[in-house]
Amino acid sequence: MKENYLAQELDGRQEGKKRTKAQELVYCGIFTALIAVGAFIKVPVPVVPFTLQFLFTMLAGLLLGSRMGAVSVAVYMFLGLVGLPVFTEGGGFWYVLKPSFGYIIGFCIGAYVTGRIVERAKKLTVAKYLAANFTGLAIVYGMGMVYYYIICNFVIHTPIGVWPLFLYCFLLAAPGDVCLCILAAFLARRLRPVLWK
């Protein structure tokens, strides 16, 4: 049974190389829309609200690959910066001055790296997906926290210390995203062979 599944996944990956540009654009558009919707499915948490954006950005990398996964997030980011209200608190170029914008940049980089890890894996297991997701998680939070600190302390002059930053931007927010990492790994395990078929 396991051999059949692995053979099916390998065949799916080989077939996936023949996907047309039109198919890639459709998949990219779908994930851009999912990321935008995910911004409004949120649980109120102090400082950085918990949303489903992280789930969809990681799935973009896992299912579409590094290039198209990153493109889907970059398109989402572009749409928000030109004024469409797709971010958690609206849209517009002014959003780059929001301390939480670093997480959106992290989503793009995280989707690319997550996809790259999966592409390089010889054997795709739940453990591999989890490793890719937790790497993406580290990138998103690392980028988000550094950006938050810089904007608060040097741009908008609302100083925040290292401990409050760590508490509100990591300890309170990360547990939910850790759960999303696990969920994304199991979803990708099921969906990737189908999507690449």
Side-chain angles (χ1 to χ4, degrees):
M1 183 74 176
K2 188 174 182 181
E3 288 80 2
N4 290 339
Y5 179 83
L6 292 173
Q8 179 187 12
E9 184 163 330
L10 180 60
D11 290 342
R13 290 171 73 181
Q14 290 171 343
E15 278 295 313
K17 293 176 182 177
K18 299 176 183 177
R19 289 186 303 180
T20 65
K21 289 290 182 185
Q23 286 175 311
E24 288 188 335
L25 288 173
V26 169
Y27 292 151
C28 182
I30 288 171
F31 271 93
T32 297
L34 286 173
I35 295 165
V37 171
F40 296 96
I41 304 173
K42 56 186 175 182
V43 177
V45 175
V47 182
V48 180
F50 171 74
T51 71
L52 291 186
Q53 283 178 301
F54 178 73
L55 173 65
F56 294 126
T57 56
M58 290 301 100
L59 282 175
L62 296 176
L63 299 177
L64 303 184
S66 58
R67 184 175 60 88
M68 293 308 297
V71 166
S72 66
V73 183
V75 170
Y76 162 76
M77 186 163 52
F78 172 77
L79 292 175
L81 289 176
V82 297
L84 293 181
V86 295
F87 295 147
T88 306
E89 296 179 33
F93 191 74
W94 65 272
Y95 219 87
V96 297
L97 297 178
K98 283 190 66 65
S100 59
F101 185 71
Y103 290 92
I104 298 174
I105 299 172
F107 288 151
C108 190
I109 300 170
Y112 178 84
V113 172
T114 299
R116 193 70 178 152
I117 291 171
V118 169
E119 288 167 350
R120 287 171 160 258
K122 294 180 180 178
K123 181 180 176 183
L124 290 174
T125 62
V126 170
K128 289 285 186 183
Y129 286 124
L130 282 172
N133 288 342
F134 285 126
T135 302
L137 181 73
I139 290 169
V140 169
Y141 275 87
M143 188 76 206
M145 291 170 67
V146 168
Y147 195 92
Y148 201 103
Y149 185 85
I150 291 172
I151 293 295
C152 281
N153 288 287
F154 303 108
V155 179
I156 61 175
H157 304 294
T158 55
I160 185 170
V162 174
W163 168 245
L165 179 75
F166 185 73
L167 174 64
Y168 290 113
C169 296
F170 181 75
L171 289 182
L172 292 179
D177 286 333
V178 168
C179 294
L180 293 182
C181 282
I182 297 169
L183 175 61
F186 283 96
L187 286 174
R189 171 80 176 188
R190 294 293 182 185
L191 295 175
R192 187 175 169 91
V194 176
L195 194 65
W196 283 78
K197 198 169 183 180

